[in-house]
Amino acid sequence: KSRARRARKETSTTTLDDVAGIESAKREITEIIDFLKSPEKYRRLGAVMPKGILLVGPPGTGKTLLARAIAGEADVPFFSISASEFIEMFVGVGAARVRDMFQNARKEAPALIFIDELDAVGRSRGAGLGGGHDEREQTLNQILTEMDGFEAHENILVLAATNRPDVLDTALLRPGRFDRKITLDRPHKEARQAILEVHARKVPLAPDVDLAQVAARTTGFSGADLKNLVNEAALTAARENLDQVNEHCFELARDRIILGEEREAHLTA
Ligand code: ATP
């Protein structure tokens, strides 16, 4: 039996309030949200929205989060699949999954499709070694076919995430496909503070905790790392039976995360 999985469909409850520190990306998506909410306003004016947007950035910088926030704000169904899950499928299955996903999204339009790790199938097609029979290539071709097959007025938006835009097949980037790009960088200090504030919302902080200080000491942390940091600090407080999370908890959590990452880097080196 194939390990292939169908695209997940969910109703996103994520909002722009959950996204911090990436203000320019947030500005760029406001128009897209507005379009998904009231497509007729754009159609009346003859304005055509992009079909596909590429979200580019290192792991944990909020690509999936941003896609969910668009769906949540616009209140449209969110179909998602990770392209890496196509790789081990039998020939033809990946392409069939792609076809299914687009078909389902069309039935429920306006809708948002999210393809994570696009580079897993979207790498530049080699010099014909696979002769077109390669599973990955078929899947990529199906994505291209689907992107070309729906009209801008069908109100489907396809978002795809990658941290390797450099290896993508240029066919994906042509007009009418993923012709818009939103770049997410690792957060700078103020952005880290804003992200910490989002994740500390439900955490009772002791008066000695200064999130600006925490931000200053977490250079190189991604949004995902910062989320993890807040949670680790809260777990530490629970372990010590405190009723507030204090500065010491944050210190311990930070050390644990940094050590953990060093160990991992060591193992994969
Ligand atoms: P990957 O490339 O590993 O799939 P990603 O860029 O899609 O990563 P997300 O899955 O969106 O990253 O981030 C993981 C979690 O980290 C999010 O669910 C969110 O809780 C937190 N996070 C990341 N970026 C931000 C941000 N800018 N603001 C608030 N939280 C963030």
Side-chain angles (χ1 to χ4, degrees):
K1 203 167 175 234
S2 164
R3 285 205 262 155
R5 209 183 42 71
R6 280 169 202 287
R8 268 174 291 255
K9 182 196 156 192
E10 60 181 274
T11 310
S12 170
T13 55
T14 304
T15 69
L16 282 178
D17 258 2
D18 301 313
V19 185
I22 43 178
E23 299 313 315
S24 72
K26 275 169 86 166
R27 270 194 302 278
E28 280 189 67
I29 65 168
T30 342
E31 185 184 44
I32 292 159
I33 293 167
D34 191 48
F35 164 76
L36 286 169
K37 272 172 146 165
S38 31
E40 60 298 338
K41 167 174 137 191
Y42 289 79
R43 202 174 317 143
R44 263 202 311 272
L45 295 165
V48 178
M49 284 303 284
K51 288 177 171 185
I53 300 175
L54 199 60
L55 300 171
V56 176
T61 45
K63 300 181 291 296
T64 311
L65 181 73
L66 201 62
R68 282 217 170 84
I70 297 176
E73 290 281 347
D75 198 18
V76 301
F78 181 81
F79 293 86
S80 69
I81 196 145
S82 174
S84 64
E85 292 169 66
F86 292 132
I87 300 291
E88 284 169 283
M89 289 181 186
F90 292 118
V91 174
V93 176
R97 289 288 185 262
V98 170
R99 205 177 310 122
D100 276 2
M101 177 168 71
F102 275 84
Q103 215 162 54
N104 291 335
R106 276 166 113 147
K107 271 187 230 148
E108 303 202 31
L112 193 151
I113 289 176
F114 178 64
I115 305 174
D116 202 1
E117 297 179 72
L118 179 65
D119 45 279
V121 291
R123 275 171 192 269
S124 181
R125 285 166 290 191
L129 271 181
H133 298 296
D134 180 54
E135 176 58 14
R136 185 197 310 191
E137 200 161 307
Q138 281 194 17
T139 309
L140 171 58
N141 286 334
Q142 191 63 37
I143 293 174
L144 296 174
T145 305
E146 296 292 344
M147 296 286 296
D148 295 344
F150 73 88
E151 300 295 330
H153 64 74
E154 288 188 74
N155 305 331
I156 292 178
L157 178 68
V158 189
L159 292 169
T162 182
N163 49 20
R164 293 298 310 275
D166 52 311
V167 303
L168 291 182
D169 197 298
T170 51
L172 281 164
L173 309 175
R174 293 216 187 104
R177 294 171 181 169
F178 296 98
D179 52 6
R180 266 223 214 169
K181 188 168 94 178
I182 297 180
T183 305
L184 304 176
D185 295 314
R186 278 190 186 264
H188 52 70
K189 185 170 165 291
E190 285 73 34
R192 291 198 297 277
Q193 182 177 346
I195 295 171
L196 285 166
E197 277 160 7
V198 165
H199 292 286
R201 260 181 214 152
K202 288 182 190 145
V203 175
L205 297 179
D208 69 343
V209 176
D210 176 0
L211 291 181
Q213 277 292 329
V214 178
R217 290 194 204 129
T218 44
T219 307
F221 275 47
S222 68
D225 294 332
L226 294 165
K227 175 193 185 171
N228 189 14
L229 175 75
V230 172
N231 189 50
E232 280 288 337
L235 288 173
T236 306
R239 225 173 277 136
E240 296 182 9
N241 292 315
L242 305 172
D243 38 57
Q244 286 183 321
V245 183
N246 62 32
E247 172 58 26
H248 183 61
C249 301
F250 274 92
E251 281 301 315
L252 289 177
R254 193 191 69 131
D255 290 349
R256 186 171 305 128
I257 289 170
I258 292 174
L259 283 177
E261 276 177 5
E262 276 171 6
R263 196 173 307 125
E264 216 169 280
H266 215 71
L267 287 173
T268 53

